[in-house]
Amino acid sequence: LFVGTARDVSNQLRRGQTADLRVPSTWQVPGYPNIHVTRPLKFLPNSIPAARRFNEWMYRCHTARVARQLGFLAPTLWLNPHYAVHMVGKMSEDCTIYDITDDWITLTQSESLTRLITEQDKELCRVADAVIVCSQKLYDIKRQLARNLHLIPNGVDAAHYRCVLDDTGPLPDEAADWPHPVYGYTGTIHPDRVDVGLVERLAKRLTAGCFALVGPGFLPDPDRDRLLATGKVFFTGPVPYQRLPQFMRAFDVCITPHMVTPFTESLNPIKLWEYLAAGKPIVSTDIAGFRDFPSLVRIAADEDSFLAALQEAIHESPEAGEARRSEALRHSWDARVDQILEVVARCRNSPSREL
């Protein structure tokens, strides 16, 4: 049972966008009879402490009801968001796993929100039967907070991206207007990740080609407008996972123009493994994960070196692509899941579990 983001009733009513409130709250994932998704309702703004506690109670009640309907008796409680700490010990769970994928404490946000996240994260690290992190930086940060800490990096379904180099035929309609060479990015387009200034300066200096940013966009309108004004930056918006390899087929070079910050240092970007599986040349700023593969990724320290790396990448030999794909096979999700299941099994069977 996957419990998704709560549907925000008050926010959607204010905006007059209530379609999300009229769809079923729980459904089975097509093709996967053993996977269900549910999305509780959130009635009040979380900025008010009493309202947040009410929302949390409603969230637990909804989740427990759906779990009972599905026959869950003593489930493993797998928590990714820090704010789900309120669920621990209240869901009849057999054990609790806290899965940390990002250092949310270092995001650009208000001091009060940073304090709240810090408290929630610290408490969840303390009470969880196991804490799993995906990067060495996160492991170092959580070492003193978690009593049972495991480093398990992200992975990839390499076969899903095999078509990027192997397929021929029509490309997605959205890529029809992209002038080549195409320098493509996949993932969340957020100002705490993407170095907007760098992309803008590079776009202005391109003598040919364009930047294609594929994924959900969270840039402020002024930043987005600045990039569009160059005439060399294209946005696709969110793209279904099944279609992503087809968009990457249109790329000549895969890029990661991320900010270099404490937040990005905490990441183990899934796009690293996807780019490797795709086989296309890769150019990245000097960030965690990508810098670990200097023979397969071109690392750029500044605007000039990034531009030079792009020009070099488009003339790369085909053999390098096969080396990347071979590396990706060593980091399959199957191998990662084996590690995760071992952690869960130990927690469920531990005689010394306590909250």
Side-chain angles (χ1 to χ4, degrees), residues 1-3 26-29 32-38 66 70:
L1 173 62
F2 181 86
V3 186
T26 304
W27 65 95
Q28 177 189 304
V29 177
Y32 296 89
N34 61 338
I35 301 179
H36 292 77
V37 180
T38 192
V66 176
L70 293 174

Side-chain angles (χ1 to χ4, degrees), residues 71-309:
F72 285 30
L73 298 178
T76 296
L77 188 60
W78 181 286
L79 303 179
N80 180 248
H82 47 81
Y83 53 78
V85 64
H86 66 91
M87 302 181 75
V88 181
K90 299 176 180 177
M91 305 304 298
S92 301
E93 68 270 18
D94 182 78
C95 68
T96 298
I97 310 294
Y98 180 24
D99 176 26
I100 308 176
T101 57
D102 306 87
D103 185 10
W104 300 114
I105 296 171
T106 60
L107 275 179
T108 303
Q109 58 203 348
S110 67
E111 290 185 11
S112 61
L113 185 54
T114 297
R115 285 195 299 271
L116 177 61
I117 294 174
T118 301
E119 293 170 2
Q120 293 171 332
D121 174 78
K122 183 177 181 179
E123 177 65 7
L124 197 41
C125 281
R126 185 186 72 82
V127 300
D129 296 292
V131 176
I132 297 176
V133 296
C134 64
S135 71
Q136 184 62 50
K137 181 67 173 180
L138 283 172
Y139 187 90
D140 294 339
I141 293 172
K142 308 303 179 184
R143 191 195 301 266
Q144 301 302 318
L145 299 177
R147 53 192 170 93
N148 184 16
L149 183 63
H150 302 266
L151 171 56
I152 303 178
N154 288 316
V156 66
D157 177 4
H160 186 62
Y161 296 91
R162 192 77 191 175
C163 68
V164 175
L165 289 187
D166 295 349
D167 274 11
T168 59
L171 296 173
D173 292 340
E174 294 90 337
D177 296 329
W178 296 351
H180 286 266
V182 175
Y183 306 110
Y185 173 90
T186 65
T188 303
I189 305 164
H190 191 285
D192 279 315
R193 296 176 186 260
V194 176
D195 189 336
V196 176
L198 174 63
V199 175
E200 180 185 17
R201 294 191 300 273
L202 290 171
K204 289 179 177 178
R205 293 180 61 179
L206 283 185
T207 56
C210 70
F211 290 100
L213 307 183
V214 178
F218 295 94
L219 297 182
D221 288 342
D223 286 349
R224 179 182 171 88
D225 292 343
R226 280 165 43 209
L227 294 180
L228 290 174
T230 67
K232 296 179 180 178
V233 178
F234 295 82
F235 294 89
T236 66
V239 168
Y241 176 71
Q242 293 302 324
R243 296 188 66 204
L244 186 57
Q246 295 303 319
F247 280 84
M248 296 175 75
R249 285 182 56 222
F251 296 175
D252 295 288
V253 179
C254 296
I255 63 169
T256 308
H258 274 184
M259 306 277 286
V260 181
T261 66
F263 174 69
T264 57
E265 279 301 300
S266 75
L267 305 178
N268 181 251
I270 291 179
K271 67 170 57 60
L272 164 64
W273 312 113
E274 293 175 335
Y275 285 0
L276 290 173
K280 294 287 182 79
I282 304 170
V283 177
S284 173
T285 49
D286 189 6
I287 57 172
F290 285 87
R291 72 165 69 97
D292 297 334
F293 297 92
S295 64
L296 303 176
V297 178
R298 290 174 173 83
I299 299 297
D302 53 32
E303 175 188 335
D304 289 337
S305 58
F306 205 109
L307 188 63

